[in-house]
Amino acid sequence: MKTVEWNFTTHKLQMIDQRLLPGTFEVAVFDDYRAVGQAITDMVVRGAPAIGAAAGFALGLAANQSAATTPEGLLTDLKSAADLLKKARPTAVNLAWALDRILNTLTPSPSLKRRGEAPPLPGGEGWGEGSLQSLRAAVLTEAQRIADEDVEINQRMAHHGAELIADGDTVIHHCNTGALATVDWGTALGVIRMAHKQGKNIHVLVDETRPRLQGSRLTAWELEQYGISYDIISDNAAGYFLSNGQVDKVFVGSDRTAANGDVANKIGTYMLALAAYDNGVPFYPVVPTSTIDLSLATGAEIPIEERDQAEVLSLTFQGQAAFPEGASARNPAFDITPHRLVTGIVTENGVAYPPYLENLRKVVNVKTS
Amino acid sequence: MKTVEWNFTTHKLQMIDQRLLPGTFEVAVFDDYRAVGQAITDMVVRGAPAIGAAAGFALGLAANQSAATTPEGLLTDLKSAADLLKKARPTAVNLAWALDRILNTLTPSPSLKRRGEAPPLPGGEGWGEGSLQSLRAAVLTEAQRIADEDVEINQRMAHHGAELIADGDTVIHHCNTGALATVDWGTALGVIRMAHKQGKNIHVLVDETRPRLQGSRLTAWELEQYGISYDIISDNAAGYFLSNGQVDKVFVGSDRTAANGDVANKIGTYMLALAAYDNGVPFYPVVPTSTIDLSLATGAEIPIEERDQAEVLSLTFQGQAAFPEGASARNPAFDITPHRLVTGIVTENGVAYPPYLENLRKVVNVKTS
């Protein structure tokens, strides 16, 4: 079972419900794109690459759900479904990236328009009954392609990143960036998996990652399964281990990276990067190029989601609520790590080093050249 | 009810059981010094000043418990009780400071020895029945003096520190440093209370302080009672608020401060200080001079307690354990914040600024000059 998977028999989307892990392994099934949007918001599925794939398949559901009788009507329905899905979470750029990528395969490219040629619609000429079916199929084909590519991209990133890991290294990892954050394999955790697979002896300090504990719940659960040595630590404790020479490298994911190398990632990444930098420990975000947003000059332009305070006001201590009655909380879900703290950015096309403004563009453009 | 209080009727020590807050307010009663040592280890009482006072009263219990029939025998019993109590927690220096201060009132001072004079024993001449009683009374008198001084010292620190707070400030506070961390009033939280009492409008971002959640459990509970505006945040989120210009100052306590201004405090303080420094936000430890250990050149010499992994492996998420079966954890309880990140150190004798090697000595020596 992949984290995000289309069932070609039932024509439904299946996703591991990550809110229930590690205690319960349950697969949630979706036949309504709106429910997928809600599941993204509620973090049934999370992690930028997994969100992108889920949104792609949700558009597949929307295509099937549409009652449109013309290709134009179907396209209108798909665009409005995409608009709704894009609002599910604001920070990860793959959500919009995957949806736009699918919509772009269905509509004429600007270059063709400029040349005044007839648009090469996937429905072919005639816009008849058959075209509606092939439009629907085209949505799903592209969604599946995005999902398949994600696994392949993760493997390529893992190979590039694993070269940075030496035998005997202790690394800190934040949040979850493993198979559960992607369609399969993982980004930052995928790098660690690959180094382990290569026979390198590694120990992982797993930031528990308050408030939703993706580290202690999901990353530790994955590491147990891979047989990789680890200890869970309070997010608070990363600085202690970094300052005591007990950590060799830090690997994190990213939900969106700006053109200058500023990285938006799970809340706490910035403080972790500061502590790594202060102790001369290399800090590597591992990011598929689909999460690099060259349209944004700096991280200041990346929208930061603030989630429900109930996620913070959620803990018990000795069996009782760990906060007083009437307590309020703030809950930003991401922060921005300035590029000056980033040693290198691992992508499927290689590791980009400073100056990022120049070198990120190079790794992004590899795939389209 | 003070956090730590001697009951002169029952001759027992009473302490608020801080493990049960904020859900349950319960006073634990002690008549055995060993049980107080265990309560310090178990964090029934925590916070450097409160630990110092508790240890002092525990020595009072030890004096009453001793079956010694001679002053020499009682002194031997007290020294062995102090040795046991000092092992309860290694990082906070007040524990040893309070015990040594009491023992020093009972034994001849080195300067008198040097001059060859007779030692001025509190039992007076004769070492008879009466001397035993007065020795016991002297232990308790000095323990009570330490407790009383703590409240007075906190008030003086609060006045010095409150001058640093402007009307309208938002401050970040780590762990608990309030009335619950002291005999009464508080250190860093005492500064915030004083500014509030002076009519300044303040908002506090309360770090929840994993793993034992002293921020969300104890500090938020105190702030509710004082009517001071606050929001609880994940420790992870402090950097986000600091980098967005939403924070004016950071106030923390300290369990031990070295001669060069390096500060040992609750785990996470170092990362918080880094984030404050990176954004030009002033960072102030508020420390009674009893926690300044001029015998240590740098923070590297301060012993850091690592506590049971069960404190980290303690959370539930959606009603289930938030970590996989077989998980292991590391749990350092303190970290060292290098003096280069510290804007100023607030003491009862004023605020010390860099160079700390020179200026900390000045504020410490005010009280003995």
Side-chain angles (χ1 to χ4, degrees), chain A residues 208 216 232, chain B residues 210-211 308-315 323-324 326-329:
Chain A
E208 63 181 9
S216 61
I232 297 170
Chain B
R210 282 284 293 148
D308 195 320
Q309 63 171 353
E311 291 185 346
V312 175
L313 302 177
S314 65
L315 297 187
F323 46 89
S328 61

Side-chain angles (χ1 to χ4, degrees), chain A residues 272-284:
Chain A
L272 178 58
L274 281 170
Y277 187 84
D278 198 45
N279 294 286
V281 174
F283 176 87
Y284 299 107

Side-chain angles (χ1 to χ4, degrees), chain B residues 6-14 29-31 61 64:
Chain B
W6 184 260
N7 186 319
F8 284 94
T9 311
T10 61
H11 303 288
K12 291 177 183 175
L13 172 61
Q14 301 178 345
V29 180
F30 298 86
D31 56 9
L61 290 175
N64 292 346

Side-chain angles (χ1 to χ4, degrees), chain B residues 54-141:
Chain B
F57 287 126
L59 209 59
L61 290 175
N64 292 346
Q65 286 175 266
S66 167
T69 52
T70 64
E72 291 85 353
L74 179 55
L75 280 176
T76 304
D77 284 354
L78 288 174
K79 275 172 194 160
S80 100
D83 286 344
L84 182 140
L85 287 165
K86 282 179 188 176
K87 289 177 190 149
R89 292 196 74 189
T91 302
V93 71
N94 306 53
L95 184 55
W97 168 86
L99 292 164
D100 288 339
R101 174 169 156 178
I102 296 172
L103 290 177
N104 285 338
T105 64
L106 311 177
T107 47
S109 73
S111 60
L112 285 172
K113 264 193 191 155
R114 262 201 311 278
R115 279 185 277 146
E117 290 177 25
L121 289 166
E125 289 173 35
W127 290 108
E129 267 299 306
S131 335
L132 263 180
Q133 276 319 97
S134 39
L135 257 179
R136 288 194 167 100
V139 173
L140 202 63
T141 301

